[in-house]
Amino acid sequence: MATPDFIRTLRACAGNQLLWLPGVTALVLDDEGRVLLNRRSDNGRWSLIGGIPDPGEQPAACAVREVFEETAVRCVAERVVLVQALDPVRYDNGDVCQYMDTTFYCRPVGGEARVNDDESLEVGWFSLDALPDLSEFALFRIKQTMSDAPTWFDPVV
């Protein structure tokens, strides 16, 4: 995944220490109930589409932008599925980030799914009964989207 310029600037001052960053995930479902996935170039795994908002960018706009950038599919964000603070991640270069993920259900409105940048090796639509191997992160988001439940968040104890 390409590191946004604003994060490179922060890293120049912060070094490898923990950065708290926003993140978005887009769960795109078509009229046939298929989910749009990409096989990531950084780890070779199938995944939901996601990314980091640019400074000042609204999370829903980021989700729509990331879907187009990575898959050439145009979509609209319909609702917030969940909001979740994720565990910190340590990258190979020593950088540590922790993301506040906002996941959106998105509806496709145009374009043909294809690899559209260097972040994806493959892109495709998958029926829910024929998903490739996915992380628990992705499976939980699919489950929450399909449940039509209110926006999920970790309840305060």
Side-chain angles (χ1 to χ4, degrees), residues 94-139:
D95 289 351
V96 181
C97 296
Q98 187 170 9
Y99 297 95
M100 174 64 74
D101 177 63
T102 304
T103 297
F104 292 90
Y105 157 67
C106 298
R107 180 176 46 84
V109 294
E112 293 292 323
R114 64 175 169 81
V115 173
N116 203 36
D117 67 9
D118 61 356
E119 294 184 34
S120 301
L121 299 172
E122 296 178 73
V123 169
W125 293 100
F126 293 86
S127 65
L128 296 176
D129 61 355
L131 293 171
D133 181 39
L134 292 173
S135 68
E136 285 302 315
F137 174 94
L139 293 172

mmCIF file of all heavy atoms in Angstrom, residues 94-139:
data_model
loop_
_atom_site.group_PDB
_atom_site.id
_atom_site.type_symbol
_atom_site.label_atom_id
_atom_site.label_comp_id
_atom_site.label_asym_id
_atom_site.label_seq_id
_atom_site.Cartn_x
_atom_site.Cartn_y
_atom_site.Cartn_z
ATOM 1 N N GLY A 94 9.108 -0.788 10.924
ATOM 2 C CA GLY A 94 9.082 -0.369 12.315
ATOM 3 C C GLY A 94 7.987 0.628 12.646
ATOM 4 O O GLY A 94 7.741 0.899 13.827
ATOM 5 N N ASP A 95 7.344 1.210 11.650
ATOM 6 C CA ASP A 95 6.250 2.145 11.908
ATOM 7 C C ASP A 95 5.111 1.436 12.626
ATOM 8 O O ASP A 95 4.791 0.281 12.315
ATOM 9 C CB ASP A 95 5.698 2.733 10.601
ATOM 10 C CG ASP A 95 6.645 3.718 9.935
ATOM 11 O OD1 ASP A 95 7.656 4.095 10.555
ATOM 12 O OD2 ASP A 95 6.355 4.110 8.792
ATOM 13 N N VAL A 96 4.486 2.144 13.577
ATOM 14 C CA VAL A 96 3.332 1.616 14.304
ATOM 15 C C VAL A 96 2.147 2.550 14.079
ATOM 16 O O VAL A 96 2.280 3.771 14.219
ATOM 17 C CB VAL A 96 3.624 1.481 15.816
ATOM 18 C CG1 VAL A 96 2.422 0.901 16.549
ATOM 19 C CG2 VAL A 96 4.865 0.634 16.061
ATOM 20 N N CYS A 97 1.021 1.969 13.688
ATOM 21 C CA CYS A 97 -0.215 2.727 13.471
ATOM 22 C C CYS A 97 -1.361 2.015 14.167
ATOM 23 O O CYS A 97 -1.355 0.793 14.309
ATOM 24 C CB CYS A 97 -0.551 2.822 11.985
ATOM 25 S SG CYS A 97 0.636 3.732 11.003
ATOM 26 N N GLN A 98 -2.330 2.800 14.576
ATOM 27 C CA GLN A 98 -3.579 2.256 15.081
ATOM 28 C C GLN A 98 -4.690 3.014 14.366
ATOM 29 O O GLN A 98 -4.663 4.242 14.291
ATOM 30 C CB GLN A 98 -3.690 2.422 16.591
ATOM 31 C CG GLN A 98 -4.904 1.705 17.157
ATOM 32 C CD GLN A 98 -4.886 1.667 18.675
ATOM 33 O OE1 GLN A 98 -4.060 2.301 19.331
ATOM 34 N NE2 GLN A 98 -5.805 0.909 19.245
ATOM 35 N N TYR A 99 -5.652 2.258 13.827
ATOM 36 C CA TYR A 99 -6.694 2.846 12.996
ATOM 37 C C TYR A 99 -8.048 2.840 13.689
ATOM 38 O O TYR A 99 -8.401 1.886 14.384
ATOM 39 C CB TYR A 99 -6.815 2.070 11.681
ATOM 40 C CG TYR A 99 -5.564 2.126 10.844
ATOM 41 C CD1 TYR A 99 -4.617 1.109 10.921
ATOM 42 C CD2 TYR A 99 -5.312 3.197 10.004
ATOM 43 C CE1 TYR A 99 -3.457 1.157 10.160
ATOM 44 C CE2 TYR A 99 -4.147 3.257 9.250
ATOM 45 C CZ TYR A 99 -3.227 2.240 9.338
ATOM 46 O OH TYR A 99 -2.087 2.291 8.590
ATOM 47 N N MET A 100 -8.801 3.914 13.470
ATOM 48 C CA MET A 100 -10.209 3.977 13.822
ATOM 49 C C MET A 100 -10.946 3.716 12.509
ATOM 50 O O MET A 100 -11.001 4.578 11.634
ATOM 51 C CB MET A 100 -10.580 5.354 14.379
ATOM 52 C CG MET A 100 -12.075 5.521 14.625
ATOM 53 S SD MET A 100 -12.740 4.421 15.870
ATOM 54 C CE MET A 100 -12.085 5.181 17.342
ATOM 55 N N ASP A 101 -11.473 2.503 12.362
ATOM 56 C CA ASP A 101 -12.114 2.101 11.109
ATOM 57 C C ASP A 101 -13.598 2.452 11.115
ATOM 58 O O ASP A 101 -14.314 2.145 12.066
ATOM 59 C CB ASP A 101 -11.963 0.598 10.888
ATOM 60 C CG ASP A 101 -12.685 0.146 9.628
ATOM 61 O OD1 ASP A 101 -12.291 0.605 8.534
ATOM 62 O OD2 ASP A 101 -13.642 -0.637 9.733
ATOM 63 N N THR A 102 -14.033 3.092 10.050
ATOM 64 C CA THR A 102 -15.451 3.302 9.784
ATOM 65 C C THR A 102 -15.779 2.496 8.529
ATOM 66 O O THR A 102 -15.175 2.728 7.477
ATOM 67 C CB THR A 102 -15.774 4.792 9.558
ATOM 68 O OG1 THR A 102 -15.335 5.543 10.694
ATOM 69 C CG2 THR A 102 -17.268 5.001 9.346
ATOM 70 N N THR A 103 -16.672 1.543 8.663
ATOM 71 C CA THR A 103 -17.045 0.686 7.536
ATOM 72 C C THR A 103 -18.378 1.154 6.975
ATOM 73 O O THR A 103 -19.338 1.367 7.718
ATOM 74 C CB THR A 103 -17.139 -0.785 7.973
ATOM 75 O OG1 THR A 103 -15.843 -1.212 8.411
ATOM 76 C CG2 THR A 103 -17.596 -1.684 6.829
ATOM 77 N N PHE A 104 -18.417 1.286 5.650
ATOM 78 C CA PHE A 104 -19.616 1.727 4.942
ATOM 79 C C PHE A 104 -20.146 0.618 4.044
ATOM 80 O O PHE A 104 -19.367 -0.078 3.380
ATOM 81 C CB PHE A 104 -19.303 2.929 4.036
ATOM 82 C CG PHE A 104 -18.957 4.172 4.787
ATOM 83 C CD1 PHE A 104 -17.645 4.448 5.129
ATOM 84 C CD2 PHE A 104 -19.947 5.073 5.156
ATOM 85 C CE1 PHE A 104 -17.320 5.601 5.822
ATOM 86 C CE2 PHE A 104 -19.629 6.223 5.856
ATOM 87 C CZ PHE A 104 -18.310 6.491 6.188
ATOM 88 N N TYR A 105 -21.476 0.464 4.028
ATOM 89 C CA TYR A 105 -22.129 -0.322 2.974
ATOM 90 C C TYR A 105 -22.238 0.612 1.780
ATOM 91 O O TYR A 105 -22.712 1.747 1.896
ATOM 92 C CB TYR A 105 -23.518 -0.797 3.412
ATOM 93 C CG TYR A 105 -24.419 -1.094 2.236
ATOM 94 C CD1 TYR A 105 -24.140 -2.163 1.387
ATOM 95 C CD2 TYR A 105 -25.507 -0.293 1.960
ATOM 96 C CE1 TYR A 105 -24.948 -2.418 0.300
ATOM 97 C CE2 TYR A 105 -26.317 -0.544 0.868
ATOM 98 C CZ TYR A 105 -26.034 -1.607 0.041
ATOM 99 O OH TYR A 105 -26.817 -1.842 -1.048
ATOM 100 N N CYS A 106 -21.777 0.136 0.623
ATOM 101 C CA CYS A 106 -21.809 0.933 -0.601
ATOM 102 C C CYS A 106 -22.546 0.182 -1.704
ATOM 103 O O CYS A 106 -22.457 -1.046 -1.798
ATOM 104 C CB CYS A 106 -20.392 1.246 -1.074
ATOM 105 S SG CYS A 106 -19.428 2.228 0.099
ATOM 106 N N ARG A 107 -23.246 0.944 -2.531
ATOM 107 C CA ARG A 107 -23.997 0.393 -3.660
ATOM 108 C C ARG A 107 -23.292 0.806 -4.949
ATOM 109 O O ARG A 107 -23.028 1.994 -5.165
ATOM 110 C CB ARG A 107 -25.426 0.939 -3.628
ATOM 111 C CG ARG A 107 -26.323 0.452 -4.742
ATOM 112 C CD ARG A 107 -27.745 0.960 -4.568
ATOM 113 N NE ARG A 107 -27.835 2.383 -4.243
ATOM 114 C CZ ARG A 107 -27.807 3.372 -5.144
ATOM 115 N NH1 ARG A 107 -27.666 3.103 -6.431
ATOM 116 N NH2 ARG A 107 -27.906 4.627 -4.752
ATOM 117 N N PRO A 108 -22.972 -0.161 -5.828
ATOM 118 C CA PRO A 108 -22.321 0.188 -7.091
ATOM 119 C C PRO A 108 -23.299 0.895 -8.026
ATOM 120 O O PRO A 108 -24.485 0.557 -8.062
ATOM 121 C CB PRO A 108 -21.891 -1.165 -7.654
ATOM 122 C CG PRO A 108 -22.839 -2.142 -7.062
ATOM 123 C CD PRO A 108 -23.213 -1.602 -5.709
ATOM 124 N N VAL A 109 -22.789 1.884 -8.754
ATOM 125 C CA VAL A 109 -23.637 2.626 -9.699
ATOM 126 C C VAL A 109 -23.028 2.700 -11.093
ATOM 127 O O VAL A 109 -23.619 3.292 -11.990
ATOM 128 C CB VAL A 109 -23.955 4.046 -9.177
ATOM 129 C CG1 VAL A 109 -24.807 3.977 -7.921
ATOM 130 C CG2 VAL A 109 -22.687 4.845 -8.931
ATOM 131 N N GLY A 110 -21.875 2.088 -11.305
ATOM 132 C CA GLY A 110 -21.259 2.114 -12.628
ATOM 133 C C GLY A 110 -19.855 1.558 -12.608
ATOM 134 O O GLY A 110 -19.299 1.238 -11.557
ATOM 135 N N GLY A 111 -19.300 1.429 -13.794
ATOM 136 C CA GLY A 111 -17.941 0.917 -13.953
ATOM 137 C C GLY A 111 -17.907 -0.595 -13.991
ATOM 138 O O GLY A 111 -18.861 -1.262 -13.599
ATOM 139 N N GLU A 112 -16.822 -1.114 -14.500
ATOM 140 C CA GLU A 112 -16.582 -2.558 -14.576
ATOM 141 C C GLU A 112 -15.432 -2.893 -13.648
ATOM 142 O O GLU A 112 -14.376 -2.252 -13.707
ATOM 143 C CB GLU A 112 -16.220 -2.980 -16.001
ATOM 144 C CG GLU A 112 -17.350 -2.821 -17.009
ATOM 145 C CD GLU A 112 -18.484 -3.802 -16.745
ATOM 146 O OE1 GLU A 112 -18.204 -4.951 -16.344
ATOM 147 O OE2 GLU A 112 -19.653 -3.402 -16.929
ATOM 148 N N ALA A 113 -15.622 -3.886 -12.794
ATOM 149 C CA ALA A 113 -14.582 -4.261 -11.830
ATOM 150 C C ALA A 113 -13.334 -4.736 -12.558
ATOM 151 O O ALA A 113 -13.400 -5.633 -13.399
ATOM 152 C CB ALA A 113 -15.105 -5.351 -10.899
ATOM 153 N N ARG A 114 -12.214 -4.094 -12.224
ATOM 154 C CA ARG A 114 -10.910 -4.458 -12.795
ATOM 155 C C ARG A 114 -9.825 -3.881 -11.897
ATOM 156 O O ARG A 114 -10.085 -2.996 -11.088
ATOM 157 C CB ARG A 114 -10.764 -3.924 -14.207
ATOM 158 C CG ARG A 114 -10.759 -2.407 -14.298
ATOM 159 C CD ARG A 114 -10.496 -1.912 -15.722
ATOM 160 N NE ARG A 114 -10.731 -0.492 -15.865
ATOM 161 C CZ ARG A 114 -9.876 0.469 -15.529
ATOM 162 N NH1 ARG A 114 -8.697 0.149 -15.014
ATOM 163 N NH2 ARG A 114 -10.161 1.736 -15.699
ATOM 164 N N VAL A 115 -8.625 -4.381 -12.040
ATOM 165 C CA VAL A 115 -7.484 -3.801 -11.325
ATOM 166 C C VAL A 115 -7.289 -2.395 -11.879
ATOM 167 O O VAL A 115 -7.171 -2.207 -13.091
ATOM 168 C CB VAL A 115 -6.215 -4.659 -11.524
ATOM 169 C CG1 VAL A 115 -5.002 -3.961 -10.935
ATOM 170 C CG2 VAL A 115 -6.410 -6.037 -10.895
ATOM 171 N N ASN A 116 -7.280 -1.409 -10.986
ATOM 172 C CA ASN A 116 -7.224 -0.011 -11.432
ATOM 173 C C ASN A 116 -6.031 0.742 -10.848
ATOM 174 O O ASN A 116 -5.875 1.920 -11.106
ATOM 175 C CB ASN A 116 -8.535 0.696 -11.055
ATOM 176 C CG ASN A 116 -8.817 1.905 -11.909
ATOM 177 O OD1 ASN A 116 -8.512 1.910 -13.098
ATOM 178 N ND2 ASN A 116 -9.398 2.934 -11.324
ATOM 179 N N ASP A 117 -5.221 0.090 -10.020
ATOM 180 C CA ASP A 117 -4.004 0.709 -9.501
ATOM 181 C C ASP A 117 -3.046 -0.386 -9.056
ATOM 182 O O ASP A 117 -3.319 -1.575 -9.235
ATOM 183 C CB ASP A 117 -4.309 1.699 -8.368
ATOM 184 C CG ASP A 117 -4.841 1.046 -7.092
ATOM 185 O OD1 ASP A 117 -4.830 -0.195 -6.980
ATOM 186 O OD2 ASP A 117 -5.256 1.790 -6.194
ATOM 187 N N ASP A 118 -1.929 0.006 -8.470
ATOM 188 C CA ASP A 118 -0.917 -0.979 -8.081
ATOM 189 C C ASP A 118 -1.173 -1.600 -6.710
ATOM 190 O O ASP A 118 -0.374 -2.393 -6.236
ATOM 191 C CB ASP A 118 0.478 -0.363 -8.137
ATOM 192 C CG ASP A 118 0.650 0.819 -7.194
ATOM 193 O OD1 ASP A 118 -0.333 1.230 -6.536
ATOM 194 O OD2 ASP A 118 1.773 1.339 -7.120
ATOM 195 N N GLU A 119 -2.295 -1.265 -6.063
ATOM 196 C CA GLU A 119 -2.606 -1.839 -4.760
ATOM 197 C C GLU A 119 -3.332 -3.175 -4.866
ATOM 198 O O GLU A 119 -3.495 -3.861 -3.860
ATOM 199 C CB GLU A 119 -3.441 -0.855 -3.936
ATOM 200 C CG GLU A 119 -2.661 0.402 -3.583
ATOM 201 C CD GLU A 119 -3.440 1.348 -2.696
ATOM 202 O OE1 GLU A 119 -4.228 0.867 -1.860
ATOM 203 O OE2 GLU A 119 -3.245 2.561 -2.834
ATOM 204 N N SER A 120 -3.778 -3.535 -6.067
ATOM 205 C CA SER A 120 -4.533 -4.775 -6.262
ATOM 206 C C SER A 120 -3.863 -5.668 -7.298
ATOM 207 O O SER A 120 -3.391 -5.189 -8.323
ATOM 208 C CB SER A 120 -5.959 -4.469 -6.745
ATOM 209 O OG SER A 120 -6.647 -3.660 -5.837
ATOM 210 N N LEU A 121 -3.867 -6.974 -7.005
ATOM 211 C CA LEU A 121 -3.414 -7.962 -7.984
ATOM 212 C C LEU A 121 -4.582 -8.472 -8.816
ATOM 213 O O LEU A 121 -4.425 -8.779 -9.992
ATOM 214 C CB LEU A 121 -2.748 -9.145 -7.266
ATOM 215 C CG LEU A 121 -1.516 -8.816 -6.436
ATOM 216 C CD1 LEU A 121 -1.080 -10.042 -5.634
ATOM 217 C CD2 LEU A 121 -0.395 -8.318 -7.332
ATOM 218 N N GLU A 122 -5.746 -8.595 -8.159
ATOM 219 C CA GLU A 122 -6.978 -9.035 -8.810
ATOM 220 C C GLU A 122 -8.144 -8.313 -8.151
ATOM 221 O O GLU A 122 -8.043 -7.881 -7.004
ATOM 222 C CB GLU A 122 -7.211 -10.544 -8.623
ATOM 223 C CG GLU A 122 -6.192 -11.449 -9.264
ATOM 224 C CD GLU A 122 -6.513 -12.908 -8.967
ATOM 225 O OE1 GLU A 122 -7.487 -13.432 -9.551
ATOM 226 O OE2 GLU A 122 -5.805 -13.496 -8.139
ATOM 227 N N VAL A 123 -9.242 -8.238 -8.885
ATOM 228 C CA VAL A 123 -10.474 -7.647 -8.386
ATOM 229 C C VAL A 123 -11.606 -8.525 -8.873
ATOM 230 O O VAL A 123 -11.563 -9.033 -9.994
ATOM 231 C CB VAL A 123 -10.639 -6.206 -8.924
ATOM 232 C CG1 VAL A 123 -12.028 -5.665 -8.652
ATOM 233 C CG2 VAL A 123 -9.582 -5.287 -8.333
ATOM 234 N N GLY A 124 -12.632 -8.722 -8.040
ATOM 235 C CA GLY A 124 -13.762 -9.520 -8.494
ATOM 236 C C GLY A 124 -14.966 -9.436 -7.591
ATOM 237 O O GLY A 124 -14.872 -8.994 -6.442
ATOM 238 N N TRP A 125 -16.095 -9.862 -8.151
ATOM 239 C CA TRP A 125 -17.356 -9.970 -7.414
ATOM 240 C C TRP A 125 -17.510 -11.408 -6.950
ATOM 241 O O TRP A 125 -17.295 -12.335 -7.736
ATOM 242 C CB TRP A 125 -18.529 -9.611 -8.312
ATOM 243 C CG TRP A 125 -18.563 -8.176 -8.725
ATOM 244 C CD1 TRP A 125 -18.153 -7.645 -9.922
ATOM 245 C CD2 TRP A 125 -19.052 -7.075 -7.958
ATOM 246 N NE1 TRP A 125 -18.350 -6.297 -9.940
ATOM 247 C CE2 TRP A 125 -18.907 -5.916 -8.749
ATOM 248 C CE3 TRP A 125 -19.599 -6.966 -6.679
ATOM 249 C CZ2 TRP A 125 -19.290 -4.655 -8.290
ATOM 250 C CZ3 TRP A 125 -19.980 -5.709 -6.228
ATOM 251 C CH2 TRP A 125 -19.834 -4.572 -7.028
ATOM 252 N N PHE A 126 -17.902 -11.599 -5.679
ATOM 253 C CA PHE A 126 -18.034 -12.940 -5.116
ATOM 254 C C PHE A 126 -19.389 -13.090 -4.438
ATOM 255 O O PHE A 126 -19.793 -12.223 -3.647
ATOM 256 C CB PHE A 126 -16.935 -13.198 -4.078
ATOM 257 C CG PHE A 126 -15.561 -13.265 -4.678
ATOM 258 C CD1 PHE A 126 -14.822 -12.111 -4.886
ATOM 259 C CD2 PHE A 126 -15.018 -14.488 -5.047
ATOM 260 C CE1 PHE A 126 -13.556 -12.166 -5.447
ATOM 261 C CE2 PHE A 126 -13.752 -14.556 -5.611
ATOM 262 C CZ PHE A 126 -13.023 -13.389 -5.812
ATOM 263 N N SER A 127 -20.059 -14.198 -4.733
ATOM 264 C CA SER A 127 -21.299 -14.481 -4.018
ATOM 265 C C SER A 127 -20.941 -14.857 -2.585
ATOM 266 O O SER A 127 -19.835 -15.355 -2.319
ATOM 267 C CB SER A 127 -22.097 -15.588 -4.704
ATOM 268 O OG SER A 127 -21.387 -16.797 -4.659
ATOM 269 N N LEU A 128 -21.862 -14.624 -1.680
ATOM 270 C CA LEU A 128 -21.585 -14.854 -0.262
ATOM 271 C C LEU A 128 -21.341 -16.321 0.064
ATOM 272 O O LEU A 128 -20.671 -16.624 1.048
ATOM 273 C CB LEU A 128 -22.721 -14.296 0.590
ATOM 274 C CG LEU A 128 -22.891 -12.776 0.501
ATOM 275 C CD1 LEU A 128 -24.098 -12.328 1.307
ATOM 276 C CD2 LEU A 128 -21.635 -12.053 0.954
ATOM 277 N N ASP A 129 -21.834 -17.235 -0.782
ATOM 278 C CA ASP A 129 -21.593 -18.655 -0.539
ATOM 279 C C ASP A 129 -20.355 -19.167 -1.263
ATOM 280 O O ASP A 129 -20.072 -20.360 -1.236
ATOM 281 C CB ASP A 129 -22.831 -19.487 -0.905
ATOM 282 C CG ASP A 129 -23.217 -19.361 -2.366
ATOM 283 O OD1 ASP A 129 -22.606 -18.554 -3.103
ATOM 284 O OD2 ASP A 129 -24.151 -20.070 -2.780
ATOM 285 N N ALA A 130 -19.590 -18.265 -1.891
ATOM 286 C CA ALA A 130 -18.374 -18.666 -2.604
ATOM 287 C C ALA A 130 -17.246 -17.651 -2.379
ATOM 288 O O ALA A 130 -16.499 -17.324 -3.300
ATOM 289 C CB ALA A 130 -18.668 -18.821 -4.093
ATOM 290 N N LEU A 131 -17.128 -17.170 -1.149
ATOM 291 C CA LEU A 131 -16.080 -16.199 -0.829
ATOM 292 C C LEU A 131 -14.720 -16.879 -0.778
ATOM 293 O O LEU A 131 -14.607 -18.025 -0.329
ATOM 294 C CB LEU A 131 -16.365 -15.549 0.524
ATOM 295 C CG LEU A 131 -17.596 -14.657 0.615
ATOM 296 C CD1 LEU A 131 -17.860 -14.272 2.073
ATOM 297 C CD2 LEU A 131 -17.424 -13.417 -0.245
ATOM 298 N N PRO A 132 -13.669 -16.178 -1.196
ATOM 299 C CA PRO A 132 -12.321 -16.719 -0.997
ATOM 300 C C PRO A 132 -11.971 -16.652 0.485
ATOM 301 O O PRO A 132 -12.747 -16.129 1.297
ATOM 302 C CB PRO A 132 -11.444 -15.768 -1.826
ATOM 303 C CG PRO A 132 -12.196 -14.478 -1.830
ATOM 304 C CD PRO A 132 -13.663 -14.859 -1.820
ATOM 305 N N ASP A 133 -10.809 -17.149 0.852
ATOM 306 C CA ASP A 133 -10.348 -17.085 2.237
ATOM 307 C C ASP A 133 -10.223 -15.614 2.637
ATOM 308 O O ASP A 133 -9.479 -14.863 2.012
ATOM 309 C CB ASP A 133 -8.997 -17.795 2.357
ATOM 310 C CG ASP A 133 -8.477 -17.795 3.773
ATOM 311 O OD1 ASP A 133 -9.285 -17.962 4.711
ATOM 312 O OD2 ASP A 133 -7.256 -17.621 3.946
ATOM 313 N N LEU A 134 -10.977 -15.209 3.657
ATOM 314 C CA LEU A 134 -10.974 -13.826 4.121
ATOM 315 C C LEU A 134 -10.629 -13.762 5.607
ATOM 316 O O LEU A 134 -10.885 -14.709 6.354
ATOM 317 C CB LEU A 134 -12.348 -13.179 3.916
ATOM 318 C CG LEU A 134 -12.792 -12.927 2.487
ATOM 319 C CD1 LEU A 134 -14.248 -12.454 2.461
ATOM 320 C CD2 LEU A 134 -11.889 -11.910 1.804
ATOM 321 N N SER A 135 -10.114 -12.628 6.024
ATOM 322 C CA SER A 135 -9.799 -12.404 7.440
ATOM 323 C C SER A 135 -11.083 -12.293 8.250
ATOM 324 O O SER A 135 -12.168 -12.025 7.714
ATOM 325 C CB SER A 135 -8.989 -11.114 7.588
ATOM 326 O OG SER A 135 -9.817 -9.998 7.257
ATOM 327 N N GLU A 136 -10.951 -12.460 9.563
ATOM 328 C CA GLU A 136 -12.094 -12.250 10.460
ATOM 329 C C GLU A 136 -12.597 -10.812 10.363
ATOM 330 O O GLU A 136 -13.792 -10.555 10.475
ATOM 331 C CB GLU A 136 -11.712 -12.586 11.907
ATOM 332 C CG GLU A 136 -11.617 -14.071 12.172
ATOM 333 C CD GLU A 136 -12.919 -14.815 11.874
ATOM 334 O OE1 GLU A 136 -14.003 -14.333 12.270
ATOM 335 O OE2 GLU A 136 -12.857 -15.871 11.231
ATOM 336 N N PHE A 137 -11.676 -9.881 10.153
ATOM 337 C CA PHE A 137 -12.017 -8.470 9.960
ATOM 338 C C PHE A 137 -13.058 -8.344 8.852
ATOM 339 O O PHE A 137 -14.106 -7.708 9.035
ATOM 340 C CB PHE A 137 -10.735 -7.705 9.593
ATOM 341 C CG PHE A 137 -10.914 -6.265 9.219
ATOM 342 C CD1 PHE A 137 -10.773 -5.268 10.174
ATOM 343 C CD2 PHE A 137 -11.195 -5.892 7.904
ATOM 344 C CE1 PHE A 137 -10.916 -3.930 9.833
ATOM 345 C CE2 PHE A 137 -11.344 -4.560 7.561
ATOM 346 C CZ PHE A 137 -11.203 -3.573 8.525
ATOM 347 N N ALA A 138 -12.800 -8.931 7.697
ATOM 348 C CA ALA A 138 -13.711 -8.844 6.551
ATOM 349 C C ALA A 138 -15.000 -9.608 6.813
ATOM 350 O O ALA A 138 -16.101 -9.114 6.519
ATOM 351 C CB ALA A 138 -13.023 -9.361 5.294
ATOM 352 N N LEU A 139 -14.884 -10.809 7.352
ATOM 353 C CA LEU A 139 -16.084 -11.632 7.584
ATOM 354 C C LEU A 139 -17.040 -10.962 8.570
ATOM 355 O O LEU A 139 -18.261 -10.998 8.379
ATOM 356 C CB LEU A 139 -15.673 -13.014 8.079
ATOM 357 C CG LEU A 139 -14.929 -13.880 7.065
ATOM 358 C CD1 LEU A 139 -14.405 -15.147 7.731
ATOM 359 C CD2 LEU A 139 -15.799 -14.199 5.864
#
